[in-house]
Amino acid sequence: MTTTVRVPEERSARVPAEQRGPGRDRDSVRLLVSCGTEVSHHAFVELPRRLRAGDLLIVNTSPTLAAAVDGWIGHARVVVHFSTRGDDGRWAVELRDPDGRGTTRARAGGPAGTEVRLAGDVRLVLEEPLTPYGSRLWWGRVSEPDVLGLLRRHGRPIRYSYTQRDQPLSVYQTVFALPSADGGGSAEMPSAARPFTARLVAELVSRGVQFAPITLHTGVASAEAHEPPYPERYEVPEASARLINAARAGEGRILAVGTTAVRAVESAVDAGGAVRARKGWTDLVVTPERGVRVVDGLLTGLHEPEASHLLMLEAIAGRAAIERSYGEALSGLYLWHEFGDVHLILPEEGPHTEGCSSNCR
């Protein structure tokens, strides 16, 4: 997959859909639907007609944090991306260099002992790399115990160079986002759910589609150097576990909204294949070799060819199906990244489906 897809720069969504013209809303994006190698093209507002009564959507309720904070190493300005809060009070952080255009570029992490000055005379000291196989993210200790308060006061949403300008934090919250009990959240938006509006959710409910909320706090994106996803904190509530198990026992299809929802629910499966209420850390990496045990399909954004998320898509749909759908997305001029278009992967056949043709057209 990674050798056959090249995404041109002009295919990056530079602004949110609702800012691309009058009368537009978040749901004014395109929807690529694939069932096996059968592919069709739709508007996202047609999603309720692509699903059916009894289908269950697993949605991530994690809110997005203002996780980018300006800092200084000596006289050099840096931008700190706060990724994940550890159980010992440290934070996994990524240091970035300003690029002179309002965004940042990657920089080498470390070394240990590096001190970053943040606003309000707060100090961040890097201690050790997050993992032994990469040096991009480091565990760091912050002199201010209320780091979430620091982010609220001085942070802004993480933004990359393909976007046109800074956006308010509200732009990065999905309709499903809920405040966490501990104030935590995601470093970057669980973006597959961004096109949903309250109106669309109401239409789905009226058609008999159900929702099972989970929480997974995402760290910073890991599309560089084919990095696997890092451990992340998640929770599958008891009520959602019951909904998922009931849908699996009936005629409904289990469709995850975003790769984060897949990672969470696949981390909560017991030895007998049932989903259990669980919370904690997950280091699960879903690959074609590992496969999936719960989800039948997935609604997701379009991922970079280097992203480890593509292995998860291949685990759900197969390599041939993903190559075909991405070829269609490129030739159809779909838009990539968090403000871009979305891809609905439906099961080709199985106990919970009557086949593709009625849903792909």
Side-chain angles (χ1 to χ4, degrees):
M1 182 70 187
T2 58
T3 61
T4 59
V5 172
R6 187 184 71 83
V7 182
E9 185 177 348
E10 61 269 20
R11 297 271 54 83
S12 297
R14 293 175 57 75
V15 297
E18 63 272 23
Q19 297 177 16
R20 293 181 202 145
R24 291 175 177 262
D25 204 340
R26 287 179 174 228
D27 55 15
S28 301
V29 297
R30 299 172 67 192
L31 175 68
L32 184 76
V33 180
S34 63
C35 306
T37 55
E38 184 181 351
V39 179
S40 61
H41 306 273
H42 307 272
F44 185 76
V45 291
E46 298 176 51
L47 177 67
R49 296 193 289 278
R50 305 275 70 81
L51 305 180
R52 57 178 182 246
D55 285 344
L56 180 70
L57 298 181
I58 304 173
V59 296
N60 189 355
T61 64
S62 178
T64 307
L65 302 175
V69 178
D70 290 326
W72 292 264
I73 300 176
H75 295 292
R77 183 179 164 230
V78 296
V79 177
V80 181
H81 288 178
F82 283 83
S83 179
T84 306
R85 179 174 54 185
D87 291 335
D88 59 0
R90 298 187 299 175
W91 278 78
V93 298
E94 179 189 20
L95 267 56
R96 310 270 298 186
D97 285 324
D99 63 2
R101 300 188 302 273
T103 56
T104 60
R105 56 177 175 266
R107 63 171 284 155
T114 296
E115 181 178 274
V116 184
R117 289 181 291 112
L118 305 174
D121 201 32
V122 175
R123 297 292 192 271
L124 163 69
V125 178
L126 303 185
E127 293 189 350
E128 60 181 335
L130 183 63
T131 65
Y133 50 79
S135 60
R136 189 168 63 92
L137 268 72
W138 281 64
W139 284 114
R141 198 168 294 278
V142 186
S143 62
E144 164 61 64
D146 183 16
V147 174
L148 292 171
L150 174 75
L151 299 184
R152 287 192 296 271
R153 293 190 302 273
H154 302 291
R156 62 185 179 276
I158 289 175
R159 174 166 88 89
Y160 294 108
S161 59
Y162 53 78
T163 56
Q164 189 175 88
R165 56 181 175 268
D166 284 345
Q167 299 284 348
L169 185 59
S170 59
V171 165
Y172 292 90
Q173 306 295 3
T174 74
V175 72
F176 303 111
L178 295 171
S180 297
D182 62 356
S186 290
E188 298 186 22
M189 172 178 56
S191 56
R194 191 185 189 278
F196 285 86
T197 61
R199 179 183 62 248
L200 192 83
V201 171
E203 183 178 353
L204 286 164
V205 170
S206 73
R207 288 174 174 263
V209 175
Q210 294 182 294
F211 292 84
I214 58 87
T215 301
L216 186 139
H217 295 321
T218 69
V220 298
S222 55
E224 298 168 21
H226 302 273
E227 293 173 298
Y230 299 106
E232 294 167 318
R233 196 186 300 272
Y234 81 104
E235 180 176 5
V236 176
E238 177 65 39
S240 293
R242 290 199 303 268
L243 279 170
I244 294 166
N245 291 329
R248 294 181 72 203
E251 298 298 320
R253 298 171 297 186
I254 311 299
L255 306 173
V257 177
T259 57
T260 61
V262 177
R263 194 182 201 196
V265 74
E266 293 287 334
S267 299
V269 186
D270 66 17
V275 177
R276 300 298 182 191
R278 286 184 182 167
K279 64 179 178 179
W281 291 89
T282 177
D283 59 1
L284 176 67
V285 180
V286 178
T287 65
E289 292 72 29
R290 189 268 185 191
V292 289
R293 303 178 65 190
V294 179
V295 301
D296 299 309
L298 172 64
L299 179 73
T300 183
L302 295 164
H303 300 283
E304 289 286 0
E306 296 86 3
S308 59
H309 297 309
L310 283 179
L311 294 175
M312 180 185 291
L313 271 59
E314 290 180 14
I316 294 170
R319 185 184 180 96
I322 298 306
E323 287 194 334
R324 171 66 191 279
S325 59
Y326 268 60
E328 287 279 328
L330 284 168
S331 63
L333 304 182
Y334 279 67
L335 295 178
W336 258 251
H337 299 302
E338 66 266 32
F339 299 142
D341 299 315
V342 285
H343 179 198
L344 175 62
I345 302 171
L346 291 173
E348 189 171 12
E349 57 184 351
H352 295 161
T353 171
E354 301 164 356
C356 283
S357 57
S358 63
N359 289 303
C360 249
R361 295 197 181 101

